Amino acid sequence: IIDVYRNDAKLQRNPFALGTYVTLFPQLIAGPIVRYQTVADQIDERVETDDKFADGVVRFTTGLAKKVILANGIGFLFTEISALGQNNMTVITAWIGAFAYTFQIYFDFSGYSDMAIGLGKMFGFEFLENFNYPYISKSITEFWRRWHISLSTWFRDYVYIPLGGNRKGKIRQYVNLAVVWGLTGLWHGFGWNFFAWGMFYYLLLVLEKTFLLNWLNKIPSVFARIYTMFFVIIGWVLFAIEDADALLQYIKNMFGVSGVSFADSRTTMYIVNYIGIFIIAVIACTPVTSVIKRIAKKYRDKAFGTIYNIVLLPGAILVLLVVSVAFLAGESFNPFLYFRF
C-alpha cells in the first residue's frame, strides 16, 4: 500500500495476481522479505526453464543441508552447554557454546532463505539474495550489509529514510539510527534482550561511523575480521539468552570473571566430538563454493567445467539430499530456529 502511494509500484487490479503474491509460499513466514515491486512483472510473465529448475533444486538442497545437517547438528551443542550449571561451566566451554549458536542461527536462517530462493526459482521466480557470507565481514557496518539483507533494506527504506536519514545533521542521524535499531530488536520479539541486542549494534555502528571505521580500514584484514566476529558472537549470546541473570552469568563465564576454570574434561569431550562439524561450518561460511562455481563457469567448455557440471555438482547434491532426508527421518520435529523471532 505504501509503495503504491509513493508510486514505487503499480496498482494491481487483478485479485488473482495479488493473491499469488500474498500466498507465494517460498517467501512467507521468515523471509527473505520479497517486496511486491520485485516480483510484480514476474507474476504476470516469467520463464520456467530446465536450467532454472535445476538451479532451484541445487539451491533448495543446499539450504536443506544447511538446516538439518549443520544448524541442527551444532544447535544441540549450544542447548546442552547453555543448560549446564555454574559448577559445570568453563571459559572454553562457554565460548564453544557461543560459537555453536553463532553457526546455528546463520545456517538455520540462511538455509531457510536458500530453500525459499530455490523453490521460487523452480517456478520461474527470481528472488533477491538475503545473505552474502556475513561472517567474513571486516566491520559491523559491512556485517549488516551482508546479513539478512532484505530486513536491513526494508528498515532503511521504510523507517530510516522517511525519518530523514542522514539529511538533517549528525544528531538527527544518530536519533534516526537509534529508532531503527530499537525497532530492529523489537522486530524479533518483545523481550528486553532483543531491544538490548538492537541497541548493542546501534552503539557499535555509531562508533564505527564516528572513528572506528577509518581505523579498521587501515589495519590488516585478519584483525578487522577478528574484531567483527568477536562482537557478533557477543551479540548472538545477548540475542539467545532471554533471562537477565543467566545472560550475565554466561558472559562472566566467557571472560573468566566468575571463578570458573579455564577448561576441563567436559570441554575436551565437546572439542573432540564436534571438531569435525565446526571445521565444516567454518568452511561453509566462506565463499569457497562460489569460487569453484566461477571457475567451472569460466571453463565450462573445458575438462574441469564439464566434470563439475555433469559429475561433481549433481553427485554432491544427490549425496546432500540423501543425507539430509536421513537426518530428517532420524530426528524429532525441529522447526526453523528463526520462526521463533
Side-chain angles (χ1 to χ4, degrees):
I1 293 172
I2 292 172
D3 290 340
V4 171
Y5 174 77
R6 292 174 172 177
N7 292 320
D8 291 335
K10 295 180 181 178
L11 178 64
Q12 178 57 263
R13 298 183 182 277
N14 184 331
F16 295 102
L18 181 63
T20 299
Y21 169 71
V22 173
T23 60
L24 194 62
F25 63 87
Q27 60 100 5
L28 290 177
I29 308 299
I33 301 171
V34 179
R35 302 187 201 180
Y36 178 73
Q37 63 264 40
T38 302
V39 294
D41 293 337
Q42 298 177 51
I43 288 174
D44 294 329
E45 184 178 353
R46 62 189 178 277
V47 177
E48 301 91 358
T49 66
D50 292 342
D51 286 343
K52 273 191 176 182
F53 191 88
D55 289 343
V57 171
V58 171
R59 192 65 179 269
F60 177 87
T61 305
T62 302
L64 179 65
K66 281 183 177 181
K67 164 60 180 170
V68 301
I69 298 175
L70 294 177
N72 287 3
I74 215 163
F76 291 128
L77 178 59
F78 174 73
T79 301
E80 182 176 341
I81 290 177
S82 60
L84 290 175
Q86 173 67 14
N87 294 332
N88 296 319
M89 185 77 71
T90 68
V91 173
I92 298 300
T93 298
W95 277 100
I96 290 173
F99 274 110
Y101 189 81
T102 297
F103 286 125
Q104 181 190 11
I105 197 166
Y106 171 67
F107 289 118
D108 183 280
F109 194 19
S110 69
Y112 178 94
S113 295
D114 286 341
M115 293 172 72
I117 292 169
L119 280 172
K121 187 163 286 192
M122 291 183 203
F123 294 97
F125 287 98
E126 295 286 348
F127 296 160
L128 299 177
E129 293 296 332
N130 206 26
F131 288 85
N132 183 23
Y133 303 105
Y135 290 166
I136 67 170
S137 301
K138 291 179 282 189
S139 68
I140 297 299
T141 301
E142 182 184 355
F143 173 80
W144 279 104
R145 290 180 186 141
R146 292 173 175 270
W147 177 278
H148 202 347
I149 299 167
S150 62
L151 179 64
S152 300
T153 55
W154 193 94
F155 272 107
R156 180 197 67 197
D157 294 344
Y158 296 108
V159 180
Y160 181 68
I161 292 177
L163 286 174
N166 59 0
R167 302 187 305 274
K168 298 184 178 181
K170 285 290 183 183
I171 301 299
R172 181 63 179 272
Q173 180 186 12
Y174 292 154
V175 171
N176 294 341
L177 285 171
V179 172
V180 167
W181 284 99
L183 291 175
T184 300
L186 294 176
W187 170 286
H188 295 88
F190 285 101
W192 71 271
N193 65 309
F194 296 121
F195 180 77
W197 174 78
M199 289 296 97
F200 171 78
Y201 275 111
Y202 163 70
L203 291 174
L204 288 172
L205 290 167
V206 167
L207 288 174
E208 287 193 355
K209 284 180 179 296
T210 305
F211 70 93
L212 264 182
L213 208 54
N214 290 332
W215 177 72
L216 290 169
N217 290 332
K218 295 176 182 177
I219 65 174
S221 296
V222 63
F223 295 115
R225 289 192 171 102
I226 290 172
Y227 149 85
T228 302
M229 285 309 303
F230 173 81
F231 284 109
V232 166
I233 291 168
I234 298 299
W236 286 134
V237 173
L238 181 62
F239 187 87
I241 303 176
E242 299 182 29
D243 181 83
D245 292 335
L247 172 63
L248 181 60
Q249 187 59 57
Y250 197 96
I251 292 178
K252 284 182 177 180
N253 292 342
M254 290 175 70
F255 294 97
V257 297
S258 57
V260 297
S261 59
F262 185 74
D264 58 13
S265 59
R266 189 191 300 269
T267 305
T268 304
M269 179 193 70
Y270 287 142
I271 293 174
V272 171
N273 290 344
Y274 285 89
I275 187 65
I277 195 170
F278 270 117
I279 291 173
I280 294 171
V282 169
I283 295 172
C285 286
T286 65
V288 172
T289 54
S290 296
V291 172
I292 295 173
K293 288 178 184 177
R294 285 199 298 269
I295 294 172
K297 186 176 181 180
K298 183 177 180 180
Y299 299 103
R300 63 182 179 272
D301 297 328
K302 297 183 180 180
F304 175 77
T306 302
I307 294 173
Y308 175 81
N309 290 307
I310 296 179
V311 179
L312 297 180
L313 180 60
I317 293 302
L318 180 60
V319 170
L320 282 179
L321 183 60
V322 171
V323 172
S324 298
V325 171
F327 269 75
L328 285 173
E331 293 179 359
S332 58
F333 178 62
N334 195 340
F336 283 94
L337 176 68
Y338 206 80
F339 281 7
R340 294 168 45 198
F341 310 116

